Amino acid sequence: MESNTILNNQGRLTAKERIELLLDPNSFVELDKFVVHRCNDFGMEKKRVDGDGVISGYGKIDGRLVFVYAFDFAVMGGSLSAANAQKIVKVQDLAIKNGAPVISLNDSGGARIQEGVESLTGFAHIFRRNVMASGVIPQISAILGPCAGGSCYSPALTDFILMVKEHSQMFVTGPDVVKAVTNEEVNKETLGGASTHAMKSGVCHFVCEDEQQTILTIRELIGFIPSNNMEEAPVMPVSDEVSRVCHELDHVVPTDPNVPYDIRDIIQPLCDHQYFFEIQELFARNIVVGFGRMAGRTVGFVANQPNFLAGAIDIDASDKAARFIRFCDCFNIPIVAVEDVPGFLPGVNQEHNGIIRHGAKIVYAFAEATVPKITLITRKAYGGAYIVMNSKCIGADANFAFPTAEIAVMGAEGACNILYRKVGVEERQKAIEAYKEKFANPYPAARLGYIDDIIQPCDARAMIIKSLEMAHNKNESNPPKKHGNMPL
Ligand code: HXC
């Protein structure tokens, strides 16, 4: 989208400019522009401005309705007054009632200090709507400046968080409070900048170069997802052949099982026009998640990444995958799992920090998901990780394997080191060869029906699209319950 908006010398836009850039031209309808705050303490009666510190309303993205609110940092640091909260809640309620996404553009110092409990309560009202809207309408949060306190927790309750490099931070308490309480010296950027949240905490899903890129990324993201949980994602016209033979896939998986490769070299050719929209790219790089389209329809990919930690599943990868799988399931987006996994990551650190608890989230998320679920095993499918990565009995609708697939409890060497611990080297080596012969291929699993077909890599796109078409009208539901008790 072209924009005439001019960035100031720090690359910052005003709240109004941000909204204009986000929405289709002339589509914005502003609400509550005459609302003012009601505080008369600490000289606040002299600081009333129309609309207070939030601009709110609705408009369109590519012709589709969205609701939006933007904090205005120029009005008392974008701090949240009770009046601002009332404006935000009005937009959230309208969005839930009308089945359209809510997008928040955050640039706020949190609860307005002068208002005390009134502003705190404002956040409570917003958080409650965030939770009620969860799984009903998509919620997207851009962080475009320093955000503290409640201005972090509301985004944290939404589906996707985008941050701008160097100009945005999120922290529950800022550097001054950190220094006072823990005596740690840290600046705003290190404490809660975009890189910190993209790489370490996993709070942030997209790091963008500047505000314009951030806002255009939101527009693109909206294009991949439905407006609410009763709809399907928009279907895009596609000129890419549905049964395109992907010869490049025949050469991606190395013959030596110990040689890594980039799983995105498998995912991209599967997608229409080879375009894959990756999410949380910098966090838990041993698992790759994101959207692509197949035959014009949105698909959520969840893939082990042999290029990082050999694709082993660890705590962060479990959290990342489970959350993405659940988003797809909430919003009727079919899931394609691409699997090359040697197992869960071993280690004291992993065990002590709860890989059991966290790893269980992937099982839970795949097992409860009722959207169409397809699995493609490219190479290793070992142990519990094989089971959790959308195996047949976890509920996948179609499971395929490349001829290079190895489906076993563990690798041949590990297995025989346990089974043949007490025998000589020669005998153990023989056992290793026998184990490889039996399990370092997909045929035993295929004979038992756990794999529906063993396919040539070049046919993977066509086969997955046929399976997605087969499962398109799938009608499956889990037993009625208030809600499950997912391990957290
Ligand atoms: C009232 C505020 C404010 C706030 C900033 N301002 N935050 N006014 N309430 N919460 C005002 C400043 O006084 C200043 O006014 C102007 O906004 C710009 O702020 P600066 O500090 O000059 O900007 P900057 O240096 O960029 O620092 C931004 C900041 C910092 C990191 C956000 O202002 C800050 O730490 N603010 C307080 C953060 C905080 O602790 N908030 C309460 C969180 S508790 P003037 O007039 O000088 O221009 C909370 C409760 C919910 O949110 C918790 C739920 C779980």
Side-chain angles (χ1 to χ4, degrees), residues 283-436:
F283 180 67
R285 285 160 52 210
N286 39 338
I287 208 146
V288 170
V289 303
F291 296 125
R293 292 194 181 87
M294 297 187 84
R297 291 181 188 277
T298 301
V299 169
F301 286 93
V302 179
N304 312 111
Q305 171 59 287
N307 249 353
F308 196 84
L309 292 176
I313 298 175
D314 65 354
I315 289 171
D316 287 347
S318 305
D319 287 0
K320 173 176 165 180
R323 183 139 171 89
F324 181 71
I325 294 162
R326 294 194 105 206
F327 177 86
C328 291
D329 190 44
C330 287
F331 292 107
N332 312 314
I333 296 172
I335 299 166
V336 174
V338 184
E339 179 173 353
D340 186 344
V341 62
F344 283 97
L345 185 69
V348 175
N349 181 41
Q350 288 290 309
E351 296 291 350
H352 286 189
N353 285 297
I355 183 64
I356 297 173
R357 179 163 56 85
H358 292 277
K361 294 177 198 176
I362 309 193
V363 193
Y364 198 105
F366 267 128
E368 77 170 346
T370 55
V371 289
K373 297 184 287 192
I374 316 293
T375 301
L376 176 66
I377 301 175
T378 60
R379 196 168 60 176
K380 292 172 200 158
Y382 287 156
Y386 152 69
I387 301 194
V388 309
M389 280 300 290
N390 202 30
S391 59
K392 198 80 188 167
C393 301
I394 280 287
D397 299 292
N399 295 57
F400 300 110
F402 288 172
T404 42
E406 304 169 17
I407 304 167
V409 177
M410 58 177 74
E413 304 222 347
C416 294
N417 282 344
I418 293 170
L419 295 179
Y420 297 90
R421 189 180 291 155
K422 292 179 188 137
V423 304
V425 177
E426 218 169 282
E427 199 180 329
R428 192 181 310 139
Q429 197 52 41
K430 269 195 202 147
I432 290 173
E433 293 312 316
Y435 197 90
K436 272 190 193 157

Side-chain angles (χ1 to χ4, degrees), residues 73 76-77 79 109-114 120 123 127 146 148-150 153 188:
F73 197 79
M76 290 172 261
S79 54
R112 187 168 292 168
I113 295 163
Q114 298 89 331
L120 284 180
F123 269 126
F127 294 169
Y153 276 114
K188 279 196 291 192

Side-chain angles (χ1 to χ4, degrees), residues 238-250 252 264-276 292-296 301 402 455-466 469:
V238 55
S239 56
D240 196 357
E241 212 186 311
V242 163
S243 54
R244 172 165 51 79
V245 179
C246 307
H247 290 296
E248 63 273 49
L249 288 180
D250 288 331
V252 177
R264 289 171 293 201
D265 291 338
I266 301 278
I267 300 172
Q268 274 154 7
L270 297 175
C271 298
D272 291 351
H273 309 291
Q274 316 231 6
Y275 184 64
F276 174 56
R293 292 194 181 87
M294 297 187 84
F301 286 93
F402 288 172
I455 59 171
Q456 290 306 316
C458 62
D459 297 327
R461 173 173 155 89
M463 290 302 287
I464 293 172
I465 290 176
K466 280 181 190 162
E469 282 170 0

Side-chain angles (χ1 to χ4, degrees), residues 161 163 165 170 192-208 279-285 316 320:
I161 296 182
M163 294 183 77
K165 263 189 192 164
M170 297 176 80
S195 312
T196 298
H197 286 307
M199 290 194 263
K200 291 189 176 161
S201 72
V203 165
C204 163
H205 298 83
F206 299 92
V207 179
C208 302
I279 296 168
Q280 275 190 310
E281 193 179 337
L282 303 173
F283 180 67
R285 285 160 52 210
D316 287 347
K320 173 176 165 180

Side-chain angles (χ1 to χ4, degrees), residues 463-477:
M463 290 302 287
I464 293 172
I465 290 176
K466 280 181 190 162
S467 310
L468 289 170
E469 282 170 0
M470 175 273 288
H472 183 71
N473 291 327
K474 179 179 174 185
N475 186 359
E476 188 177 64
S477 53

Side-chain angles (χ1 to χ4, degrees), residues 85-154:
Q86 211 180 325
K87 289 177 68 166
I88 292 171
V89 162
K90 185 187 275 186
V91 161
Q92 290 178 302
D93 285 341
L94 280 170
I96 295 169
K97 269 193 275 193
N98 293 292
V102 179
I103 299 162
S104 65
L105 306 176
N106 300 275
D107 193 352
S108 160
R112 187 168 292 168
I113 295 163
Q114 298 89 331
E115 289 196 10
V117 71
E118 277 257 57
S119 58
L120 284 180
T121 306
F123 269 126
H125 287 295
I126 295 169
F127 294 169
R128 187 156 159 254
R129 265 56 171 206
N130 284 137
V131 175
M132 292 305 127
S134 180
V136 178
I137 49 170
Q139 301 178 85
I140 299 171
S141 309
I143 311 296
L144 301 169
C147 287
S151 299
C152 296
Y153 276 114
S154 175

